[in-house]
Amino acid sequence: MRIQRILATTAALTCLTALAGCKEGGDRSSPPAGASAASPAGTPAAEGTLAAAQTQLRKFASCEDLSSKPGDPRLPAGDFPKAGQWSVEEVAVCSDTSETGAIVIAVPKDMKAFQEGYKKYVLDRMAAGDGAYGLFDQVLVGKGFVVFPTRTPTSVKLVRSDLRVLVCNPGGRVPEGYKREKPLVEGCSLTDFVSSEDGSGSPNFEIPQNPDNGGEAKPGQPKNGSLGLPRAGSLAELRKLVGNSLACEKNYSTDPETVAVSSIDYVPVVTGNALDWGVTGRALCGQPAGERRAHDLSWLSTVGDMKKLQAKAKAAQQADLKDDGRLKATTSLLLVGENVAVETNSPSSRFGLYQLQFLYLNCKPGFTAPGGYRLEKAQVDGCVLTNYEPDHPAA
């Protein structure tokens, strides 16, 4: 992250405070609450905004030991917005203890002037030869305040609120799946996408993750192509195929109400109307909740439209990854064959399914597999089929 470059000059950082004048949704008809406040620095109005900002931030990230002392050692080195500069009324800093970083909070008097100043600074830096300036500098606009975290993971947490990243570099893009809103100045945008150079920002689901790079062989699979995927002509055949890997022998049901069950411990991939997922038949293995808590749940599907299934599963997986880049522990993984699929959150069960040549649909940006594991194209862009799980690698 290049927040130090924003803090390197007074002009850059004072820009950060004008951002707070953006209304959610880009409505420029009137500023948000506090946007036109003109109370001098250090007054109760400014202090009240700082306290309110801390309260809002703490709903999504750690923001401890708030201080407005100019000499606070947590403030980034170099210049930063001071009271009276670039419409800044008050500046404070708090500690993000969970990410071992800090969050600087600036309270502006004129939000639009701040945004205009930031935009001008970005364009001046670009004209001076730094064409990428502003693409990775995380300036987050709130209602009545602006923050700039010193750690990228902090920004990722904060954009889950109504805070938005201000981007004024014309080369900045908002990938599919993220919001793009209008700020108070033309030529910039507000987004919940956090861009970073090191990959620790928001996942970019538009980046192709398919492993075929034009070489003779794909990583993790033989040069002669895929080892193949399993298939079954019916749910009964699929039940028999996976019988040794899943609890399907004694506890098996195709009753729609039973199949639709889920629990806090077992969350299926396919939800709602199975036909919308390209699924033609569906069954449940394992014991639903009754006298005792549900256990060993997994779902079997025959698939009429594998591309539709993978597309829907990709969207569900991306929604799960968006908050923190991780899948919920109770969410099942989708393992596919040619015309069948299995959903389970049991690593040991998946290990058995991998031996049957099922492969897991992985749509996490940047995923790759080491040599010796299978890594093949999925039927949807941005996903791969693999038998490698970083958290549960096969011995």
Side-chain angles (χ1 to χ4, degrees), residues 199-211:
S200 62
S202 304
N204 183 350
F205 298 120
E206 288 185 350
I207 299 176
Q209 300 301 319
N210 286 329

Side-chain angles (χ1 to χ4, degrees), residues 18 74 100 129 136 153 156 165 184 192 200 205 209 236 261 278 291 306 308 324 357 374-375 385-386:
R74 294 171 296 174
T100 320
F136 307 106
V156 174
V165 181
L184 297 178
D192 59 346
S200 62
F205 298 120
Q209 300 301 319
V261 72
E291 294 181 358
M306 182 59 71
K308 179 183 288 187
D324 58 5
Q357 310 308 322
R374 294 176 65 181
L375 187 61
L385 300 180
T386 185

